[in-house]
Short mmCIF file of all heavy atoms in Angstrom, two decimals:
data_model
loop_
_atom_site.label_atom_id
_atom_site.label_comp_id
_atom_site.label_asym_id
_atom_site.label_seq_id
_atom_site.Cartn_x
_atom_site.Cartn_y
_atom_site.Cartn_z
N SER A 142 49.30 21.33 -10.31
CA SER A 142 49.15 20.00 -10.91
C SER A 142 49.96 19.88 -12.19
O SER A 142 50.61 18.85 -12.44
CB SER A 142 47.68 19.70 -11.18
OG SER A 142 46.95 19.70 -9.99
N TYR A 143 49.94 20.92 -13.00
CA TYR A 143 50.72 20.91 -14.24
C TYR A 143 52.20 20.72 -13.94
O TYR A 143 52.87 19.88 -14.54
CB TYR A 143 50.49 22.21 -15.02
CG TYR A 143 51.39 22.35 -16.22
CD1 TYR A 143 51.09 21.69 -17.41
CD2 TYR A 143 52.55 23.11 -16.16
CE1 TYR A 143 51.93 21.80 -18.51
CE2 TYR A 143 53.39 23.22 -17.25
CZ TYR A 143 53.08 22.57 -18.43
OH TYR A 143 53.91 22.67 -19.51
N ASN A 144 52.72 21.50 -12.99
CA ASN A 144 54.14 21.41 -12.65
C ASN A 144 54.50 20.05 -12.07
O ASN A 144 55.58 19.53 -12.34
CB ASN A 144 54.54 22.54 -11.69
CG ASN A 144 54.63 23.87 -12.40
OD1 ASN A 144 54.91 23.94 -13.60
ND2 ASN A 144 54.40 24.94 -11.68
N CYS A 145 53.61 19.45 -11.30
CA CYS A 145 53.85 18.11 -10.78
C CYS A 145 53.94 17.11 -11.94
O CYS A 145 54.79 16.21 -11.93
CB CYS A 145 52.76 17.69 -9.80
SG CYS A 145 52.87 18.52 -8.20
N GLY A 146 53.09 17.26 -12.93
CA GLY A 146 53.14 16.39 -14.10
C GLY A 146 54.45 16.53 -14.86
O GLY A 146 55.04 15.53 -15.30
N VAL A 147 54.92 17.76 -15.01
CA VAL A 147 56.19 18.00 -15.69
C VAL A 147 57.32 17.33 -14.90
O VAL A 147 58.18 16.64 -15.48
CB VAL A 147 56.45 19.52 -15.85
CG1 VAL A 147 57.88 19.80 -16.29
CG2 VAL A 147 55.46 20.13 -16.83
N MET A 148 57.32 17.53 -13.58
CA MET A 148 58.38 16.93 -12.76
C MET A 148 58.34 15.40 -12.83
O MET A 148 59.39 14.75 -12.89
CB MET A 148 58.27 17.40 -11.31
CG MET A 148 58.70 18.85 -11.14
SD MET A 148 58.76 19.37 -9.42
CE MET A 148 57.04 19.74 -9.12
N ASP A 149 57.15 14.82 -12.83
CA ASP A 149 57.03 13.37 -12.91
C ASP A 149 57.60 12.86 -14.23
O ASP A 149 58.32 11.85 -14.26
CB ASP A 149 55.58 12.94 -12.75
CG ASP A 149 55.45 11.45 -12.59
OD1 ASP A 149 55.72 10.94 -11.49
OD2 ASP A 149 55.10 10.78 -13.59
N CYS A 150 57.31 13.55 -15.30
CA CYS A 150 57.85 13.17 -16.61
C CYS A 150 59.37 13.23 -16.60
O CYS A 150 60.04 12.29 -17.03
CB CYS A 150 57.28 14.09 -17.68
SG CYS A 150 57.91 13.74 -19.34
N PHE A 151 59.92 14.33 -16.07
CA PHE A 151 61.38 14.45 -16.00
C PHE A 151 61.97 13.40 -15.07
O PHE A 151 63.05 12.87 -15.33
CB PHE A 151 61.80 15.85 -15.57
CG PHE A 151 61.78 16.85 -16.69
CD1 PHE A 151 61.34 18.13 -16.47
CD2 PHE A 151 62.23 16.53 -17.96
CE1 PHE A 151 61.33 19.07 -17.49
CE2 PHE A 151 62.23 17.45 -18.99
CZ PHE A 151 61.78 18.73 -18.75
N GLY A 152 61.27 13.08 -13.99
CA GLY A 152 61.75 12.04 -13.08
C GLY A 152 61.88 10.70 -13.78
O GLY A 152 62.86 9.98 -13.60
N GLU A 153 60.89 10.38 -14.59
CA GLU A 153 60.95 9.12 -15.33
C GLU A 153 62.08 9.13 -16.36
O GLU A 153 62.76 8.12 -16.57
CB GLU A 153 59.62 8.84 -16.02
CG GLU A 153 59.55 7.46 -16.61
CD GLU A 153 58.16 7.07 -17.08
OE1 GLU A 153 57.22 7.87 -16.95
OE2 GLU A 153 58.03 5.94 -17.57
N MET A 154 62.34 10.29 -16.96
CA MET A 154 63.44 10.40 -17.93
C MET A 154 64.79 10.23 -17.24
O MET A 154 65.70 9.60 -17.79
CB MET A 154 63.36 11.74 -18.66
CG MET A 154 62.16 11.84 -19.58
SD MET A 154 61.97 13.49 -20.29
CE MET A 154 63.22 13.43 -21.55
N VAL A 155 64.92 10.79 -16.04
CA VAL A 155 66.17 10.63 -15.29
C VAL A 155 66.34 9.17 -14.87
O VAL A 155 67.42 8.61 -14.98
CB VAL A 155 66.21 11.59 -14.07
CG1 VAL A 155 67.36 11.26 -13.15
CG2 VAL A 155 66.30 13.04 -14.54
N LYS A 156 65.26 8.55 -14.41
CA LYS A 156 65.31 7.14 -14.04
C LYS A 156 65.79 6.29 -15.22
O LYS A 156 66.61 5.38 -15.05
CB LYS A 156 63.94 6.65 -13.58
CG LYS A 156 63.92 5.16 -13.28
CD LYS A 156 62.53 4.64 -13.05
CE LYS A 156 62.60 3.12 -12.85
NZ LYS A 156 61.33 2.50 -12.98
N ALA A 157 65.27 6.57 -16.40
CA ALA A 157 65.61 5.80 -17.60
C ALA A 157 66.97 6.21 -18.16
O ALA A 157 67.41 5.65 -19.17
CB ALA A 157 64.53 5.99 -18.66
N ARG A 158 67.63 7.17 -17.51
CA ARG A 158 68.96 7.65 -17.92
C ARG A 158 68.93 8.33 -19.29
O ARG A 158 69.92 8.37 -20.00
CB ARG A 158 69.99 6.53 -17.91
CG ARG A 158 70.00 5.69 -16.64
CD ARG A 158 70.97 6.17 -15.65
NE ARG A 158 70.91 5.34 -14.44
CZ ARG A 158 71.91 5.10 -13.68
NH1 ARG A 158 73.08 5.60 -13.97
NH2 ARG A 158 71.77 4.39 -12.60
N MET A 159 67.77 8.88 -19.63
CA MET A 159 67.65 9.67 -20.85
C MET A 159 68.21 11.07 -20.60
O MET A 159 68.56 11.77 -21.54
CB MET A 159 66.20 9.75 -21.29
CG MET A 159 65.62 8.40 -21.70
SD MET A 159 63.84 8.46 -21.97
CE MET A 159 63.77 9.47 -23.45
N LYS A 160 68.20 11.48 -19.35
CA LYS A 160 68.75 12.77 -18.95
C LYS A 160 69.59 12.56 -17.70
O LYS A 160 69.21 11.81 -16.81
CB LYS A 160 67.64 13.78 -18.63
CG LYS A 160 66.80 14.17 -19.83
CD LYS A 160 65.74 15.20 -19.48
CE LYS A 160 66.25 16.58 -19.30
NZ LYS A 160 66.95 17.21 -20.40
N LYS A 161 70.75 13.24 -17.64
CA LYS A 161 71.58 13.20 -16.44
C LYS A 161 70.99 14.10 -15.37
O LYS A 161 70.97 13.76 -14.20
CB LYS A 161 73.00 13.66 -16.75
CG LYS A 161 73.77 12.73 -17.65
CD LYS A 161 75.14 13.31 -17.92
CE LYS A 161 75.93 12.42 -18.87
NZ LYS A 161 77.27 12.97 -19.09
N LEU A 162 70.55 15.28 -15.81
CA LEU A 162 69.90 16.26 -14.94
C LEU A 162 68.62 16.70 -15.62
O LEU A 162 68.56 16.78 -16.84
CB LEU A 162 70.76 17.53 -14.76
CG LEU A 162 72.07 17.49 -14.03
CD1 LEU A 162 72.65 18.89 -13.96
CD2 LEU A 162 71.94 16.91 -12.65
N ALA A 163 67.63 17.03 -14.81
CA ALA A 163 66.40 17.62 -15.33
C ALA A 163 65.99 18.73 -14.37
O ALA A 163 66.09 18.58 -13.15
CB ALA A 163 65.30 16.58 -15.45
N LEU A 164 65.55 19.83 -14.93
CA LEU A 164 65.16 21.01 -14.14
C LEU A 164 63.65 21.13 -14.07
O LEU A 164 62.97 21.06 -15.09
CB LEU A 164 65.71 22.28 -14.80
CG LEU A 164 67.20 22.32 -15.12
CD1 LEU A 164 67.52 23.54 -15.97
CD2 LEU A 164 68.01 22.31 -13.86
N ALA A 165 63.14 21.32 -12.87
CA ALA A 165 61.73 21.67 -12.73
C ALA A 165 61.56 23.10 -13.25
O ALA A 165 62.54 23.81 -13.50
CB ALA A 165 61.32 21.58 -11.27
N HIS A 166 60.32 23.53 -13.40
CA HIS A 166 60.11 24.93 -13.76
C HIS A 166 60.56 25.79 -12.59
O HIS A 166 60.23 25.49 -11.43
CB HIS A 166 58.64 25.19 -14.06
CG HIS A 166 58.19 24.62 -15.35
ND1 HIS A 166 56.89 24.27 -15.60
CD2 HIS A 166 58.86 24.30 -16.48
CE1 HIS A 166 56.79 23.78 -16.82
NE2 HIS A 166 57.97 23.78 -17.37
N PRO A 167 61.29 26.86 -12.86
CA PRO A 167 61.75 27.73 -11.77
C PRO A 167 60.58 28.37 -11.02
O PRO A 167 59.54 28.64 -11.61
CB PRO A 167 62.57 28.81 -12.48
CG PRO A 167 62.77 28.33 -13.88
CD PRO A 167 61.72 27.33 -14.17
N SER A 168 60.79 28.60 -9.74
CA SER A 168 59.80 29.28 -8.90
C SER A 168 60.33 30.65 -8.52
O SER A 168 61.53 30.85 -8.36
CB SER A 168 59.54 28.48 -7.62
OG SER A 168 58.96 27.24 -7.92
N SER A 169 59.43 31.59 -8.35
CA SER A 169 59.83 32.96 -8.04
C SER A 169 60.21 33.16 -6.58
O SER A 169 60.80 34.18 -6.24
CB SER A 169 58.72 33.94 -8.43
OG SER A 169 57.54 33.62 -7.72
N SER A 170 59.90 32.19 -5.73
CA SER A 170 60.29 32.29 -4.32
C SER A 170 60.59 30.90 -3.77
O SER A 170 60.13 29.89 -4.32
CB SER A 170 59.19 32.94 -3.49
OG SER A 170 58.12 32.04 -3.29
N ARG A 171 61.36 30.88 -2.71
CA ARG A 171 61.68 29.61 -2.06
C ARG A 171 60.40 28.96 -1.52
O ARG A 171 60.21 27.75 -1.62
CB ARG A 171 62.67 29.85 -0.93
CG ARG A 171 63.11 28.56 -0.25
CD ARG A 171 64.12 28.80 0.87
NE ARG A 171 65.38 29.23 0.31
CZ ARG A 171 66.02 30.34 0.66
NH1 ARG A 171 65.54 31.13 1.58
NH2 ARG A 171 67.17 30.66 0.11
N ILE A 172 59.51 29.78 -0.98
CA ILE A 172 58.25 29.25 -0.44
C ILE A 172 57.44 28.56 -1.53
O ILE A 172 56.90 27.46 -1.32
CB ILE A 172 57.44 30.37 0.24
CG1 ILE A 172 58.16 30.86 1.50
CG2 ILE A 172 56.02 29.92 0.55
CD1 ILE A 172 57.60 32.13 2.10
N MET A 173 57.35 29.19 -2.70
CA MET A 173 56.59 28.58 -3.80
C MET A 173 57.24 27.28 -4.25
O MET A 173 56.56 26.30 -4.52
CB MET A 173 56.46 29.56 -4.96
CG MET A 173 55.54 30.72 -4.63
SD MET A 173 55.08 31.69 -6.06
CE MET A 173 54.19 30.50 -7.02
N ARG A 174 58.57 27.26 -4.33
CA ARG A 174 59.28 26.04 -4.73
C ARG A 174 59.08 24.94 -3.70
O ARG A 174 58.80 23.79 -4.04
CB ARG A 174 60.76 26.34 -4.91
CG ARG A 174 61.58 25.21 -5.48
CD ARG A 174 62.74 24.63 -4.71
NE ARG A 174 63.07 25.08 -3.43
CZ ARG A 174 64.26 25.61 -3.10
NH1 ARG A 174 65.19 25.78 -4.02
NH2 ARG A 174 64.51 25.96 -1.86
N ASP A 175 59.21 25.30 -2.44
CA ASP A 175 59.18 24.29 -1.38
C ASP A 175 57.81 23.63 -1.19
O ASP A 175 57.72 22.55 -0.62
CB ASP A 175 59.67 24.89 -0.06
CG ASP A 175 61.17 25.19 -0.08
OD1 ASP A 175 61.84 24.84 -1.08
OD2 ASP A 175 61.66 25.79 0.89
N ARG A 176 56.76 24.23 -1.72
CA ARG A 176 55.45 23.58 -1.60
C ARG A 176 55.38 22.31 -2.44
O ARG A 176 54.51 21.48 -2.23
CB ARG A 176 54.33 24.55 -1.95
CG ARG A 176 54.29 24.95 -3.40
CD ARG A 176 53.28 26.05 -3.66
NE ARG A 176 53.32 26.39 -5.07
CZ ARG A 176 52.28 26.68 -5.80
NH1 ARG A 176 51.09 26.71 -5.26
NH2 ARG A 176 52.41 26.96 -7.07
N TYR A 177 56.32 22.13 -3.35
CA TYR A 177 56.39 20.92 -4.17
C TYR A 177 57.17 19.79 -3.50
O TYR A 177 57.14 18.66 -3.98
CB TYR A 177 57.04 21.22 -5.53
CG TYR A 177 56.20 22.09 -6.42
CD1 TYR A 177 56.45 23.45 -6.52
CD2 TYR A 177 55.15 21.56 -7.16
CE1 TYR A 177 55.67 24.27 -7.34
CE2 TYR A 177 54.36 22.36 -7.97
CZ TYR A 177 54.63 23.72 -8.05
OH TYR A 177 53.86 24.51 -8.86
N ILE A 178 57.88 20.08 -2.42
CA ILE A 178 58.78 19.08 -1.82
C ILE A 178 58.07 17.78 -1.45
O ILE A 178 58.60 16.70 -1.75
CB ILE A 178 59.57 19.68 -0.65
CG1 ILE A 178 60.58 20.71 -1.19
CG2 ILE A 178 60.31 18.59 0.13
CD1 ILE A 178 61.35 21.48 -0.13
N PRO A 179 56.90 17.79 -0.81
CA PRO A 179 56.26 16.49 -0.52
C PRO A 179 56.02 15.65 -1.78
O PRO A 179 56.28 14.44 -1.78
CB PRO A 179 54.94 16.89 0.15
CG PRO A 179 55.23 18.23 0.75
CD PRO A 179 56.14 18.91 -0.23
N PHE A 180 55.58 16.28 -2.87
CA PHE A 180 55.40 15.55 -4.12
C PHE A 180 56.74 15.05 -4.64
O PHE A 180 56.87 13.90 -5.08
CB PHE A 180 54.72 16.43 -5.18
CG PHE A 180 54.70 15.78 -6.53
CD1 PHE A 180 53.77 14.81 -6.84
CD2 PHE A 180 55.65 16.12 -7.48
CE1 PHE A 180 53.77 14.17 -8.08
CE2 PHE A 180 55.67 15.49 -8.72
CZ PHE A 180 54.72 14.52 -9.02
N VAL A 181 57.76 15.91 -4.61
CA VAL A 181 59.09 15.57 -5.12
C VAL A 181 59.68 14.39 -4.35
O VAL A 181 60.26 13.48 -4.94
CB VAL A 181 60.02 16.81 -5.08
CG1 VAL A 181 61.48 16.42 -5.27
CG2 VAL A 181 59.59 17.83 -6.13
N GLU A 182 59.52 14.40 -3.04
CA GLU A 182 60.05 13.29 -2.24
C GLU A 182 59.37 11.97 -2.60
O GLU A 182 60.04 10.94 -2.74
CB GLU A 182 59.90 13.59 -0.74
CG GLU A 182 60.87 14.66 -0.29
CD GLU A 182 60.73 15.06 1.16
OE1 GLU A 182 59.70 14.73 1.80
OE2 GLU A 182 61.65 15.72 1.66
#
Side-chain angles (χ1 to χ4, degrees):
S142 298
Y143 173 80
N144 286 332
C145 287
V147 169
M148 287 187 278
D149 189 78
C150 178
F151 279 141
E153 189 170 0
M154 292 174 78
V155 169
K156 175 190 176 196
R158 311 267 179 149
M159 295 171 68
K160 294 182 76 59
K161 293 178 182 181
L162 294 182
L164 308 170
H166 288 154
S168 296
S169 59
S170 74
R171 183 179 290 126
I172 292 168
M173 290 193 63
R174 187 239 3 239
D175 290 355
R176 68 187 179 141
Y177 291 99
I178 292 175
F180 171 80
V181 166
E182 288 177 345

